[in-house]
Amino acid sequence: YWKTRQYFLVACMHLGMDGKRPWQSGASPMDDNVIKLVKNQFDVGYDLAEFEQEQMLALMLKCNDQFWYDNWAWAFDSGMRHDGELDGFTIDNVDFSRKTITFWRPKTKSWSVEMVLTPRMSEILGRRRKEAQLRNDRKVFPSTAGSRRSNWDKYIRMCNFNKNFTPYTTRHTYITRLAEADVNPKVTMELAGHSCIETTMKYYTKSSSLLLNEAIQSLQNNRVEFDDSYNDSMYGHNSKRKRLENKNV
């Protein structure tokens, strides 16, 4: 609901400049740009607000679902693609001395940049390290696409979240957080493993619209109210001066 409302506000602010709709003849060039803007925001998918993300993870812990908590918390904190990256991540991809990870990205056929572990990621590795070392494939988060989808949908229902939030929401959320934190787009591109900057920039366009309400509220908070009492005092002062001038005449 809120995302749709914000996209609508972005479009209205621009389309209202000439009073025309994008399908009307004579609409300004700005209208086409707005259409692309809104389309791009939907193209990059849905992301969870930070409190929603943590609400979902807290519910998993409450249900004693430790493996899936570790799986989804890691996905949120790393922004990994699920197929080939998250489910292919091994304990050998971790440099415990440097507290960093480097992993293969099948989609782009390249290695990731060296990524620093968050405190939560370090805790997760502490729990999963021994089990991963005992596995022949040494995987940290062994799962299938079907099992991930089933578990994800279960908690989406329990949290009463929109069903449009898919497992891939973890990646969209990660990249959106970077954009909203004003991280350099080139850095975000490398952390996300995008092959072109255009894909990354969609998240910055989207982030700007999500902060629209904040900008409007900021204008409201800085608004200066007109002081009628000042005008009244000046009126009285001027009247007194006028009477004195008339008396002197």
Side-chain angles (χ1 to χ4, degrees):
Y1 166 76
W2 287 107
K3 289 178 176 57
T4 301
R5 179 172 176 264
Q6 286 162 330
Y7 298 158
F8 177 75
L9 285 172
V10 173
C12 284
M13 285 182 70
H14 291 295
L15 296 179
M17 291 179 180
D18 61 6
K20 296 181 182 296
R21 304 295 186 269
W23 55 83
Q24 290 179 320
S25 60
S28 69
M30 175 69 78
D31 296 341
D32 290 333
N33 293 333
V34 173
I35 294 170
K36 291 176 183 177
L37 167 67
V38 177
K39 182 180 183 298
N40 283 345
Q41 292 169 5
F42 282 105
D43 283 347
V44 297
Y46 292 85
D47 60 89
L48 288 171
E50 189 169 1
F51 76 90
E52 293 172 326
Q53 168 188 311
E54 296 308 316
Q55 176 186 342
M56 188 175 185
L57 293 174
L59 182 58
M60 293 175 188
L61 287 178
K62 187 175 181 180
C63 294
N64 296 316
D65 207 346
Q66 189 67 63
F67 171 79
W68 287 111
Y69 168 86
D70 289 347
N71 180 90
W72 297 124
W74 184 279
F76 277 121
D77 285 4
S78 69
M80 284 182 174
R81 299 179 179 91
H82 299 166
D83 295 330
E85 293 183 7
L86 182 64
D87 61 9
F89 184 76
T90 73
I91 199 66
D92 300 316
N93 294 136
V94 185
D95 186 330
F96 285 96
S97 63
R98 292 173 59 84
K99 296 183 178 180
T100 61
I101 58 173
T102 310
F103 53 93
W104 179 250
R105 295 188 185 274
K107 184 174 182 178
T108 57
K109 296 179 173 55
S110 62
W111 286 93
S112 72
V113 295
E114 186 177 42
M115 298 172 63
V116 177
L117 294 170
T118 65
R120 180 158 62 185
M121 291 168 75
S122 294
E123 292 176 6
I124 292 171
L125 285 174
R127 285 191 293 270
R128 304 213 52 78
R129 183 176 185 176
K130 185 175 181 180
E131 182 178 337
Q133 289 172 333
L134 293 174
R135 291 180 58 89
N136 292 331
D137 58 17
R138 299 177 69 80
K139 288 184 177 180
V140 180
F141 306 104
S143 63
T144 64
S147 64
R148 290 192 297 270
R149 185 59 190 253
S150 177
N151 182 266
W152 177 269
D153 288 348
K154 167 186 170 182
Y155 285 105
I156 286 294
R157 288 192 300 271
M158 291 176 71
C159 290
N160 197 30
F161 289 164
N162 192 308
K163 64 180 181 180
N164 288 319
F165 290 124
T166 67
Y168 214 62
T169 294
T170 59
R171 180 166 167 79
H172 295 310
T173 299
Y174 171 79
I175 302 171
T176 300
R177 292 286 176 280
L178 292 173
E180 290 180 343
D182 223 9
V183 173
N184 186 294
K186 184 65 168 62
V187 174
T188 298
M189 175 185 171
E190 292 179 349
L191 289 173
H194 288 151
S195 57
C196 62
I197 193 66
E198 288 78 12
T199 302
T200 308
M201 290 309 299
K202 289 181 180 181
Y203 289 86
Y204 282 79
T205 303
K206 175 183 180 182
S207 176
S208 296
S209 71
L210 291 179
L211 298 176
L212 181 63
N213 280 352
E214 273 185 37
I216 294 174
Q217 187 59 49
S218 177
L219 288 175
Q220 176 65 25
N221 293 340
N222 292 315
R223 188 177 67 182
V224 176
E225 298 289 344
F226 178 72
D227 189 353
D228 267 343
S229 61
Y230 173 79
N231 190 53
D232 290 343
S233 65
M234 289 302 295
Y235 177 79
H237 175 76
N238 291 336
S239 298
K240 182 178 179 181
R241 186 173 63 182
K242 187 68 175 177
R243 290 196 301 271
L244 288 173
E245 288 175 350
N246 293 336
K247 184 177 180 181
N248 292 334
V249 172

